[in-house]
Amino acid sequence: MEFSPRFVFLLCGISGLLTGVWSKPAAPKIENSCPQGWTQLDCHCYKYEDDERTFADAESVCNILGGNMVSIHNDLENAFVLELIKAAGNNDEAWIGLSDAIEGSTFLWTDGSDNEYENFADGEPNETGSCVEIDTDDGSWDDILCSAELPYVCIRDILH
């Protein structure tokens, strides 16, 4: 019996299907595209800084690191930031990048993103101050004086 090239190719193809050689490639592995020391969630990198600073100083450090103080846009992100703070051993509070210092009673994020989500505690904001902290007890937010010194969380886009 004479083997034609077409028959050999067909035989190899069937063999490959049976052994998985021609199987669909695995999905690409998503790698952390954040700088060392940062934690990725979706398209952003987060970093908890435990050195206590005023609101303005904390924002300046985040700017130097290539981002802003964290802006929070949903329950998942709020829970993520809360766990990031707790994982570092902070059982108090930390700055987030929300303030009404520029426009009175209108709260704005330092990164300029839309303010479509808030998680203020009952009775807050109560005009105690113009800057916002996240409480590690329950993830709720309070307004306090911007001159208070607290640890803080920075956010930046992932590296491409």
Side-chain angles (χ1 to χ4, degrees), residues 1 3 8 15 43 50 59 62 65 77 85 90 93-94 121 125 151:
M1 178 169 164
F3 290 103
V8 172
S15 175
C43 298
D50 63 358
E59 176 63 17
C62 290
L65 295 173
E77 194 171 20
I85 295 167
N90 181 352
E93 58 271 329

Side-chain angles (χ1 to χ4, degrees), residues 31-160:
E31 295 185 27
N32 187 343
S33 300
C34 295
Q36 185 174 359
W38 292 71
T39 303
Q40 183 173 339
L41 174 67
D42 296 329
C43 298
H44 295 99
C45 303
Y46 299 79
K47 184 171 187 172
Y48 172 75
E49 293 286 343
D50 63 358
D51 58 320
E52 296 183 358
R53 297 187 177 269
T54 65
F55 186 89
D57 287 347
E59 176 63 17
S60 294
V61 172
C62 290
N63 292 165
I64 291 167
L65 295 173
N68 295 90
M69 270 200 292
V70 68
S71 56
I72 300 173
H73 300 283
N74 56 53
D75 287 331
L76 172 65
E77 194 171 20
N78 197 70
F80 177 81
V81 168
L82 180 62
E83 288 307 311
L84 188 66
I85 295 167
K86 286 182 172 183
N90 181 352
N91 294 316
D92 249 339
E93 58 271 329
W95 289 125
I96 59 175
L98 190 63
S99 167
D100 71 350
I102 294 173
E103 291 203 22
S105 61
T106 301
F107 284 91
L108 303 170
W109 292 109
T110 59
D111 65 4
S113 61
D114 291 337
N115 185 12
E116 72 276 352
Y117 170 84
E118 292 180 347
N119 193 40
F120 284 105
D122 289 340
E124 295 289 344
N126 63 7
E127 299 183 23
T128 303
S130 292
C131 298
V132 178
E133 67 176 4
I134 185 171
D135 188 328
T136 59
D137 287 336
D138 60 3
S140 65
W141 306 350
D142 304 317
D143 63 325
I144 65 169
L145 294 174
C146 300
S147 58
E149 294 189 355
L150 299 175
Y152 51 98
V153 178
C154 298
I155 188 172
R156 64 178 287 171
D157 291 334
I158 61 170
L159 301 175
H160 296 285

